[in-house]
Structure formats: C-alpha cells, structure tokens
Amino acid sequence: MTGTAQTRILLADDHALVRRGVRLILDNEPDLTVVAEAGDGAEALELARAHRPDLAILDIAMPRLTGLQAARELSRLQPGVRILMLTMYDNEQYFFEALKAGASGYVLKSVADRDLLEACRAAMRDEPFLYPGAVTALIRNYLDRVRHGEGVPDNALTPREEEILKLVAEGHTSKEIAGILHISDRTVERHRANLLQKLGLRDRLELTRYAIRAGLIEP
C-alpha cells in the first residue's frame, strides 16, 4: 500500500469499549486510520472542525447530539465528508433518517467486524453501503410509496425543535437549555410550547417518551 493515501476517520460513540473495538478493526488496515475519537455528537462536530476527516463513523444514540443530528450538521459544514452510521438498531425509521441526514452507509454493530471495512471503502468510492435488511426495507418503502402515490414524509420537527426536545428529555431545565444553545429562556419556553402543541403531547414525560421512540435518547 506504499504511496496510497490513507482515509482519515473520525469515530464517534459514547461507549469507550465500542470505540476501542472499532478502532482495532480500522487501524489494522493500511489504507484506514482513525485520527480522532468522540464520546458524543457535539464533540464529534468539534473534532471534525479540527481534524477535517475524510470519513465520519457515527453512533446513532449519543448524548448532547445524536449521530443523526451530528450527521446533518456535518453534511452542512463539510459537504465533502463521507458519513457512516454505526448502530445496534436494525430499525427502518433510523435507517431512513440516516439517509436523509446525509449518511452513505448504515452498519450494524453486531456485524461490524464483517461489514465495516467494506462500508468504509464503499463510502470513499461514493457508493452506498446497506446491510441486507436495509436493502429490503428500502425496496419495500419505495414500492409502498409508488403504490400510494406518496413521497417520503418530512420530519415533523425543525432541527432546533429536535435539539430542544432532546435536551428536555435528558432532564435539562429551560435555563440550562438556553445556556447550552445560546438562546433566551423565553425562546426555549416558546419552542417547548410549540413542541407540545405540534406533537399533541401534554408534559415532559410524554416528550421524553417521544424522544426515545424517535431515537433522540436511549431508554
């Protein structure tokens, strides 16, 4: 592999053991190298700005910002970076959200030792990588939409509402959320009221349940 450029990888997962295992898989390959590790989505964005990786491998369920939120922001900030989602969830909703967020591949942690290297190299060739169950879901979804004459529904929430929902569900007060997002307490309260109305929910508990179902936080 002498003279071949290495793919510089940012790895983000909130479990250190998972990061260690994934890094072992990647660093054994002469064409792949992990240049930064993050423990949550927000840190992943900071490290992406600092290291300018070629490829970001993001866990879906992480604190502060999920992998999906980080992927959307990373796609906006660094359009050239390739993104893979690494997840324990064999879940069609997460899969489609990952594609909408800009990911070019979706890899299950349970088979990462088998699929991850192929997924990395496919991403760098600008080719999608989908595990067999995801391919089935994609075809079924497409056929259903054609049959009903429908498009893929847009996310019900704006990115800002999603950020606030996640932080509310994690137990932060309005004042804390205002500090984290650099907005006023009143703006946070307005977004909270809009969330409850838009989602037809009544209180923080129901918002938290919705956030878990939407994959913004882990149960």
Side-chain angles (χ1 to χ4, degrees), residues 123-177:
M124 296 311 297
R125 294 192 302 266
D126 284 327
E127 297 172 4
F129 179 87
L130 307 174
Y131 68 98
V135 175
T136 302
L138 193 61
I139 294 169
R140 184 167 60 243
N141 178 271
Y142 173 77
L143 293 175
D144 284 346
R145 285 190 291 114
V146 169
R147 192 175 300 120
H148 296 99
E150 299 172 355
V152 177
D154 291 330
N155 196 333
L157 305 181
T158 66
R160 177 62 91 192
E161 287 171 341
E162 202 173 81
E163 286 176 340
I164 288 173
L165 171 60
K166 177 176 171 56
L167 292 167
V168 168
E170 287 177 347
H172 295 282
T173 65
S174 292
K175 188 175 184 64
E176 288 170 342
I177 295 171

Side-chain angles (χ1 to χ4, degrees), residues 15-85:
H15 296 101
L17 278 175
V18 172
R19 292 201 308 273
R20 192 174 306 151
V22 171
R23 183 164 194 157
L24 281 172
I25 295 171
L26 298 170
D27 281 347
N28 273 333
E29 300 300 307
D31 58 325
L32 305 173
T33 182
V34 176
V35 296
E37 289 186 34
D40 60 59
E43 186 184 10
L45 290 179
E46 293 168 11
L47 291 173
R49 290 188 188 98
H51 293 273
R52 310 292 296 185
D54 305 305
L55 173 66
I57 300 175
L58 308 174
D59 183 24
I60 281 186
M62 292 189 290
R64 294 170 70 198
L65 287 178
T66 68
L68 294 172
Q69 290 172 313
R72 282 196 288 269
E73 186 68 6
L74 191 53
S75 295
R76 186 181 69 81
L77 293 172
Q78 298 180 30
V81 71
R82 278 76 162 189
I83 299 170
L84 292 176
M85 305 308 299

Side-chain angles (χ1 to χ4, degrees), residues 9 97 180 193 217:
I9 297 172
E97 287 297 328
I180 291 168
I217 63 170

